[in-house]
Amino acid sequence: MAAEYFSRVKVSEKVDVYSFGVVLLELTTGRGPQDGGTESGSCLASWASKRYKSGGPCADLVDAEIQDLANLDDMVAVFELGVICTGEDPSSRPPMSEVLHRLRLLQCCRNQMSIDDDSA
């Protein structure tokens, strides 16, 4: 859960963005929301942020059971969107309209690739 939910900071729609980001991280990594790896007390959002900021290949963070090379770029993009949505500072999180826009762009790109493949 977003840190500001427990503090005295006024809760806004950014809490929902955070929660949605956690769902995106769960879907792409195959981990639970409290599964921060070996770090005691670390949540998935913190783990994902640290791993993303470390600069290693994001493809290694995607759940191996659902990894598909044809869709790997999309899966990494969804993982990165999850990291953005779970940013510590609520003001840095995008509005849900932007999250939806980014997800639609992924869908449009996927549809365009399918059309290009069919016409080739």
Side-chain angles (χ1 to χ4, degrees), residues 82-93:
V83 170
I84 292 167
C85 288
T86 55
E88 270 189 52
D89 180 13
S91 66
S92 71
R93 298 177 201 146

Side-chain angles (χ1 to χ4, degrees), residues 84-115:
I84 292 167
C85 288
T86 55
E88 270 189 52
D89 180 13
S91 66
S92 71
R93 298 177 201 146
M96 279 305 291
S97 59
E98 184 180 329
V99 174
L100 177 61
H101 177 73
R102 289 183 185 203
L103 291 172
R104 282 186 174 159
L105 282 175
L106 287 173
Q107 179 184 11
C108 288
C109 290
R110 174 66 47 209
N111 290 344
Q112 184 61 43
M113 287 173 55
S114 176
I115 290 169

Side-chain angles (χ1 to χ4, degrees), residues 59-79:
D60 293 346
L61 306 176
V62 174
D63 185 355
E65 290 189 33
I66 61 169
Q67 242 183 43
D68 176 5
L69 292 179
N71 300 315
L72 189 58
D73 288 342
D74 291 343
M75 296 169 80
V76 169
V78 172
F79 171 83

Side-chain angles (χ1 to χ4, degrees), residues 26-66:
E26 288 180 275
L27 290 171
T28 55
T29 65
R31 294 171 174 255
Q34 297 303 318
D35 186 0
T38 58
E39 298 176 35
S40 179
S42 179
C43 67
L44 176 59
S46 296
W47 173 84
S49 178
K50 286 177 187 172
R51 293 290 306 269
Y52 180 72
K53 289 176 182 175
S54 73
C58 288
D60 293 346
L61 306 176
V62 174
D63 185 355
E65 290 189 33
I66 61 169

Side-chain angles (χ1 to χ4, degrees), residues 2-20:
E4 69 270 17
Y5 189 79
F6 297 105
S7 68
R8 294 180 183 215
V9 175
K10 183 180 175 187
V11 175
S12 69
E13 70 277 353
K14 299 296 186 163
V15 172
D16 295 333
V17 173
Y18 182 95
S19 297
F20 188 73

